[in-house]
């Protein structure tokens, strides 16, 4: 079983991907409380995907040279700011979509740092496995608990919640290594 540091990093990764994990709740909240059409709420997911795909491509090209801890911290701060702004400006849809793409790009940078950090671990396959289990477990709990216990959560509260989670993630970012593993030192055997 991975140690506490690895579990902390896994929680950080879940924080950075929570908007993806609870996508149906975001769409429902935007439609029910934000005055969005289903199409407009769906576009939010699309703009989020643009950010995630963009950062995945950039990080894949430069992963072995990235300062993981700094990357995660910068991503979390930018995501928190974008989420807070989205909470207040969601009625201005073009700006809102831009903020969502920025937050997604920023969250994606943190997620990439988390995934790369697992490659440095002695038993990296166990780290990845535990992380995947935690992601889907937390998603299942959130998809049940949020509408059950917070049925009146509005758009502002939801995005301020995401911003708060980003700031909580800052306290976990110190668990990340400073740099990524060198390519020649990685073995998948």
């Amino acid at each position: 079983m991975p140690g506490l540091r690895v579990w902390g990093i896994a929680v950080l990764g879940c924080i950075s991907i929570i908007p993806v994990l609870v996508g149906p709740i975001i769409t429902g909240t935007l439609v029910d409380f934000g005055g969005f059409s289903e199409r407009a709420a769906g576009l939010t997911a699309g703009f989020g995907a643009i950010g995630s795909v963009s950062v995945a491509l950039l990080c894949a090209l430069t992963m072995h040279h990235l300062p993981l801890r700094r990357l995660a911290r910068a991503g979390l701060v930018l995501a928190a700011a974008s989420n807070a702004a989205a909470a207040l400006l969601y009625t201005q849809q073009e700006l809102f979509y831009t903020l969502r793409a920025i937050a997604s790009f920023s969250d994606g940078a943190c997620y990439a740092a988390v995934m790369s950090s697992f490659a440095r671990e002695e038993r990296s396959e166990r780290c990845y496995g535990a992380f995947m289990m935690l992601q889907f477990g937390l998603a299942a709990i959130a998809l049940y608990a949020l509408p059950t216990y917070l049925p009146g959560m509005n758009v502002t509260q939801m995005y301020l919640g995401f911003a708060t989670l980003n700031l909580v993630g800052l306290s976990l970012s110190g668990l990340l290594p400073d740099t990524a593993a060198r390519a020649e030192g990685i073995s998948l055997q």
Side-chain angles (χ1 to χ4, degrees):
M1 247 353 218
L4 285 177
R5 187 183 66 76
V6 171
W7 282 108
I9 293 171
V11 169
L12 174 60
C14 290
I15 287 171
S16 68
I17 199 169
I18 198 71
V20 174
L21 298 176
V22 298
I25 290 173
I26 293 172
T27 302
T29 301
L30 290 172
V31 170
D32 293 346
F33 298 102
F36 281 56
S37 67
E38 289 181 18
R39 179 183 180 279
L43 279 174
T44 301
F47 281 95
I50 288 169
S52 297
V53 168
S54 299
V55 78
L57 177 62
L58 290 174
C59 288
L61 297 173
T62 60
M63 187 53 67
H64 299 295
H65 306 288
L66 293 176
L68 300 182
R69 191 177 302 153
R70 284 193 336 210
L71 177 67
R73 286 180 176 162
L76 288 165
V77 168
L78 189 55
S82 296
N83 282 322
L88 303 173
L89 301 170
Y90 70 89
T91 57
Q92 299 173 34
Q93 285 188 349
E94 292 79 18
L95 179 57
F96 177 73
Y97 293 145
T98 302
L99 291 167
R100 293 307 309 135
I102 292 168
S104 177
F105 186 87
S106 303
D107 278 334
C110 181
Y111 188 80
V114 166
M115 293 300 284
S116 182
S117 76
F118 290 145
R120 295 177 59 100
E121 299 297 323
E122 186 175 323
R123 300 188 70 187
S124 60
E125 72 283 353
R126 289 189 181 260
C127 297
Y128 290 121
F131 180 44
M132 289 297 138
M133 179 203 61
L134 186 62
Q135 275 185 138
F136 291 111
L138 287 177
I141 291 168
L143 288 171
Y144 168 76
L146 288 174
T148 301
Y149 298 110
L150 297 172
M153 178 178 59
N154 64 34
V155 177
T156 300
Q157 294 165 335
M158 179 176 64
Y159 284 107
L160 287 177
F162 292 154
T164 301
L165 284 173
N166 291 132
L167 294 175
V168 168
L170 279 173
S171 67
L172 296 171
S173 65
L175 298 172
L176 290 167
D178 286 328
T179 58
R182 298 219 178 274
E184 63 271 7
I186 297 174
S187 172
L188 296 177
Q189 298 176 354

